[in-house]
Amino acid sequence: GAVVSQHPSWVICKSGTSVKIECRSLDFQATTMFWYRQFPKQSLMLMATSNEGSKATYEQGVEKDKFLINHASLTLSTLTVTSAHPEDSSFYICSARDSLRADTQYFGPGTRLTVL
Amino acid sequence: QKEVEQDPGPLSVPEGAIVSLNCTYSNSAFQYFMWYRQYSRKGPELLMYTYSSGNKEDGRFTAQVDKSSKYISLFIRDSQPSDSATYLCAMSSSNTGKLIFGQGTTLQVKP
C-alpha cells in the first residue's frame, strides 16, 4: 500500500527557532501534498496545498511567511515553521495525493511540535 | 453551519457489536467520500473510499453514501477492541483534491 513518512516524528525547540518537517511519499509519486494541523481532540485543519515545482497555496488565515513550504520533487515536501512560538505547538500531518489516483490521499504519521 | 457535520461522541460499545458512524454534509459538489481511522498520536489511515452514491464493503467495514440525503455512513461489524480509535469522514469535490473533514467520532470497544 501507499506509504507516506514524516520526519521527525516529534521535536522540541526553543521559542524563536525554526523547525523543518519533511514529508515523503515512499512508493508513489505525489505531484500534490497537503499540510494539516491538528489540535488535541479536534479534526484536521488544512494549512496549505503544496504542488511540485510551484508555490504553495495557503488557506485563509495561515501565514505563508510563518509556514514555509517547499515541494522540490515528486516525493518530498517540507514545512518550515519559522521563528516558532509556543502557540505553534501542535500536531502537524502531511498527506500525499497519488498522481495516478488523484482522488485519494495518504497521510503521514504526523509530527508533534512542542515549542518551549 | 459547517460543511461536514459529525457527532464527536464518544461512542462506547461492547465487543462484537455493530457500530454505525455517520456524517452529513451541505455541499452537493462533493463526489468522493472517505473514512479514515486515527489512533492517538498517529496520522489518519484510509479505511474506505467511495465515489458518488452506493455501498462498498471491505471485510467487517461497509461504507454507504446517499447523495440525495447528503448523508454517509460507516458500519463496523463484529467490532473489536482494536477498532477503538477516532473515525474521521472526509469529502472532496476533486477539483482541487482538498479534503473537508468531519470533526471525528471517538469509538471505544470494550472487551
Side-chain angles (χ1 to χ4, degrees):
Chain A
V3 179
V4 176
S5 70
Q6 271 184 251
H7 178 80
S9 56
W10 60 270
V11 57
I12 301 173
C13 69
K14 292 182 178 180
S15 185
T17 60
S18 294
V19 175
K20 180 186 284 188
I21 303 170
E22 291 186 349
C23 177
R24 293 181 186 273
S25 56
L26 298 185
D27 50 3
F28 65 98
Q29 293 186 335
T31 53
T32 304
M33 292 184 174
F34 302 86
W35 287 96
Y36 296 82
R37 187 172 179 176
Q38 187 176 34
F39 291 104
K41 299 188 183 299
Q42 295 190 25
S43 191
L44 286 76
M45 181 191 79
L46 180 65
M47 298 174 66
T49 302
S50 168
N51 294 299
E52 187 264 338
S54 64
K55 291 184 179 180
T57 303
Y58 291 82
E59 294 300 300
Q60 190 174 9
V62 178
E63 299 176 60
K64 61 180 181 181
D65 295 329
K66 173 78 172 174
F67 300 99
L68 301 179
I69 291 173
N70 182 275
H71 193 157
S73 78
L74 288 173
T75 58
L76 173 65
S77 176
T78 61
L79 168 69
T80 301
V81 183
T82 62
S83 187
H85 291 282
E87 58 265 30
D88 298 324
S89 299
S90 190
F91 194 50
Y92 293 88
I93 308 174
C94 72
S95 72
R97 188 166 65 166
D98 190 333
S99 299
L100 298 180
R101 283 193 63 188
D103 49 357
T104 305
Q105 289 184 33
Y106 299 95
F107 284 80
T111 296
R112 183 159 302 281
L113 170 63
T114 302
V115 184
L116 302 176
Chain B
Q1 181 188 8
K2 294 180 182 177
E3 276 193 287
V4 180
E5 298 275 1
Q6 182 177 8
D7 186 340
L11 180 63
S12 181
V13 301
E15 183 175 355
I18 296 175
V19 176
S20 172
L21 304 167
N22 312 291
C23 288
T24 58
Y25 62 96
S26 57
N27 188 346
S28 58
F30 289 143
Q31 301 260 21
Y32 301 91
F33 304 90
M34 284 137 277
W35 285 95
Y36 288 87
R37 178 175 62 195
Q38 185 177 25
Y39 292 110
S40 181
R41 298 176 179 267
K42 300 291 184 183
E45 170 194 8
L46 180 63
L47 273 182
M48 299 290 283
Y49 157 81
T50 309
Y51 171 70
S52 195
S53 286
N55 295 356
K56 186 172 185 178
E57 186 173 323
D58 184 1
R60 296 185 295 112
F61 299 91
T62 299
Q64 290 184 351
V65 175
D66 183 348
K67 290 189 70 178
S68 62
S69 302
K70 296 189 177 67
Y71 186 87
I72 70 170
S73 301
L74 177 70
F75 297 95
I76 307 174
R77 292 183 298 281
D78 187 25
S79 56
Q80 303 295 309
S82 58
D83 294 329
S84 299
T86 296
Y87 291 80
L88 297 148
C89 64
M91 309 177 188
S92 170
S93 64
S94 189
N95 291 341
T96 61
K98 287 171 55 173
L99 291 180
I100 308 299
F101 282 88
Q103 188 175 352
T105 299
T106 300
L107 170 68
Q108 183 180 24
V109 181
K110 295 184 176 180

